[in-house]
PDB file of all heavy atoms in Angstrom:
ATOM      1  N   HIS A 109    -104.932 -50.128 -44.636  1.00 95.00           N
ATOM      2  CA  HIS A 109    -105.116 -50.601 -43.269  1.00 95.00           C
ATOM      3  C   HIS A 109    -106.566 -50.429 -42.794  1.00 95.00           C
ATOM      4  O   HIS A 109    -107.154 -51.332 -42.211  1.00 95.00           O
ATOM      5  CB  HIS A 109    -104.145 -49.878 -42.343  1.00 95.00           C
ATOM      6  CG  HIS A 109    -104.023 -50.527 -41.006  1.00 95.00           C
ATOM      7  ND1 HIS A 109    -102.855 -50.651 -40.324  1.00 95.00           N
ATOM      8  CD2 HIS A 109    -104.960 -51.124 -40.229  1.00 95.00           C
ATOM      9  CE1 HIS A 109    -103.061 -51.287 -39.190  1.00 95.00           C
ATOM     10  NE2 HIS A 109    -104.338 -51.579 -39.111  1.00 95.00           N
ATOM     11  N   HIS A 113    -109.642 -53.238 -41.767  1.00 97.00           N
ATOM     12  CA  HIS A 113    -110.564 -53.283 -40.617  1.00 97.00           C
ATOM     13  C   HIS A 113    -111.984 -53.542 -41.114  1.00 97.00           C
ATOM     14  O   HIS A 113    -112.699 -54.394 -40.587  1.00 97.00           O
ATOM     15  CB  HIS A 113    -110.564 -51.938 -39.871  1.00 97.00           C
ATOM     16  CG  HIS A 113    -109.390 -51.742 -38.952  1.00 97.00           C
ATOM     17  ND1 HIS A 113    -109.515 -51.515 -37.610  1.00 97.00           N
ATOM     18  CD2 HIS A 113    -108.058 -51.721 -39.199  1.00 97.00           C
ATOM     19  CE1 HIS A 113    -108.306 -51.361 -37.064  1.00 97.00           C
ATOM     20  NE2 HIS A 113    -107.408 -51.477 -38.021  1.00 97.00           N
ATOM     21  N   CYS A 207    -105.819 -51.337 -32.088  1.00 90.00           N
ATOM     22  CA  CYS A 207    -104.844 -51.275 -33.172  1.00 90.00           C
ATOM     23  C   CYS A 207    -103.944 -50.071 -32.984  1.00 90.00           C
ATOM     24  O   CYS A 207    -104.380 -49.014 -32.544  1.00 90.00           O
ATOM     25  CB  CYS A 207    -105.566 -51.187 -34.515  1.00 90.00           C
ATOM     26  SG  CYS A 207    -104.436 -51.229 -35.913  1.00 90.00           S
ATOM     27  N   HIS A 211    -104.831 -44.787 -39.653  1.00 96.00           N
ATOM     28  CA  HIS A 211    -106.114 -45.015 -40.325  1.00 96.00           C
ATOM     29  C   HIS A 211    -106.647 -43.714 -40.885  1.00 96.00           C
ATOM     30  O   HIS A 211    -106.255 -42.635 -40.433  1.00 96.00           O
ATOM     31  CB  HIS A 211    -107.129 -45.577 -39.325  1.00 96.00           C
ATOM     32  CG  HIS A 211    -106.620 -46.786 -38.598  1.00 96.00           C
ATOM     33  ND1 HIS A 211    -105.847 -46.688 -37.473  1.00 96.00           N
ATOM     34  CD2 HIS A 211    -106.742 -48.105 -38.865  1.00 96.00           C
ATOM     35  CE1 HIS A 211    -105.515 -47.905 -37.060  1.00 96.00           C
ATOM     36  NE2 HIS A 211    -106.033 -48.792 -37.895  1.00 96.00           N
TER      37      HIS A 211
HETATM   38 ZN1   ZN B   1    -105.555 -50.740 -37.702  1.00 78.48          ZN
END
Side-chain angles (χ1 to χ4, degrees):
H109 194 141
H113 281 239
C207 184
H211 307 85

